[in-house]
């Protein structure tokens, strides 16, 4: 029997103000508590986001942001954007995604790795390329575990 999991998402960005206000204005709904990392980076869970929510948030705040939308805690869809318009997409838990019949060719690995490294550098972070690649190709019971591992691989200070 499969237990229903998280179908919301998480947003990671740097913010010195009230992140929840920025998120609501950008189209995020049912915003949960924020976990502070270090150097102003924060991770906030949310129930839903509109199709332009990430772009709206980055435009408002003028800071890089990374969003992971979860499908029943099994799969994570990554979207990341920098203020200068550089973006990348990726997929967490590729093997399980395949069982959902999600077309993996829509989420090619090499562009995701390159995009992740460029996003991290643009955010002033120091990524670990091997760890990023491993995170984007490995499996875990919950996609949220891989999301946390990705933040560490991207070099976010205080991520564990």
């Amino acid at each position: 029997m499969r237990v229903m999991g998280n179908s919301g998402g998480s947003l990671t960005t740097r913010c010195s103000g009230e992140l929840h206000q920025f998120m609501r204005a950008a189209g995020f709904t049912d915003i949960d508590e924020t976990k502070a990392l270090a150097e102003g980076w924060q991770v906030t869970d949310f129930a839903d986001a509109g199709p332009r929510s990430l772009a709206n948030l980055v435009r408002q705040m003028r800071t890089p942001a990374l969003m992971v939308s979860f499908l029943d805690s099994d799969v994570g869809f990554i979207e990341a954007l920098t203020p200068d318009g550089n973006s990348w997409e990726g997929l967490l838990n590729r093997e399980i995604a395949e069982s959902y019949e999600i077309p993996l060719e829509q989420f090619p690995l090499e562009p995701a790795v390159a995009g992740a490294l460029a996003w991290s550098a643009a955010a002033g972070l120091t990524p670990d390329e091997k760890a990023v690649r491993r995170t984007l190709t490995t499996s875990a019971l919950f996609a949220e575990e891989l999301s946390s591992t990705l933040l560490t691989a991207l070099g976010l200070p205080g991520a564990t």
Side-chain angles (χ1 to χ4, degrees):
M1 182 172 124
R2 173 175 263 172
V3 177
M4 292 293 286
N6 183 11
S7 289
S10 69
L11 175 78
T12 303
T13 192
R14 186 180 285 154
C15 182
S16 59
E18 174 50 46
L19 181 57
H20 290 195
Q21 289 176 343
F22 286 113
M23 289 178 70
R24 279 190 288 280
F28 291 87
T29 63
D30 293 333
I31 301 162
D32 213 345
E33 287 186 31
T34 295
K35 177 185 174 191
L37 299 178
E39 299 175 22
W41 286 95
Q42 300 178 37
V43 179
T44 303
D45 293 334
F46 58 89
D48 197 19
R52 302 268 317 137
S53 293
L54 183 64
N56 292 340
L57 182 90
V58 170
R59 187 179 67 250
Q60 284 179 66
M61 295 179 56
R62 300 192 192 301
T63 186
L66 182 140
M67 179 175 77
V68 181
S69 300
F70 299 106
L71 174 61
D72 201 22
S73 286
D74 291 333
V75 178
F77 298 93
I78 307 161
E79 292 179 66
L81 186 62
T82 63
D84 60 5
N86 288 328
S87 65
W88 69 279
E89 294 181 343
L91 190 63
L92 297 173
N93 252 353
R94 294 177 75 83
E95 189 175 304
I96 294 174
E98 203 167 22
S99 73
Y100 276 95
E101 299 182 7
I102 294 169
L104 299 183
E105 64 273 6
Q106 290 184 5
F107 300 94
L109 181 61
E110 293 309 317
V113 171
L117 298 176
W119 180 90
S120 179
L125 305 172
T126 305
D128 178 336
E129 182 177 352
K130 287 181 183 178
V132 168
R133 183 178 303 281
R134 187 173 45 251
T135 304
L136 294 175
T137 57
T138 195
S139 295
L141 182 58
F142 298 108
E144 292 86 352
E145 295 171 32
L146 292 174
S147 181
S148 294
T149 303
L150 178 64
L151 296 181
T152 302
L154 290 171
L156 270 97
T160 54

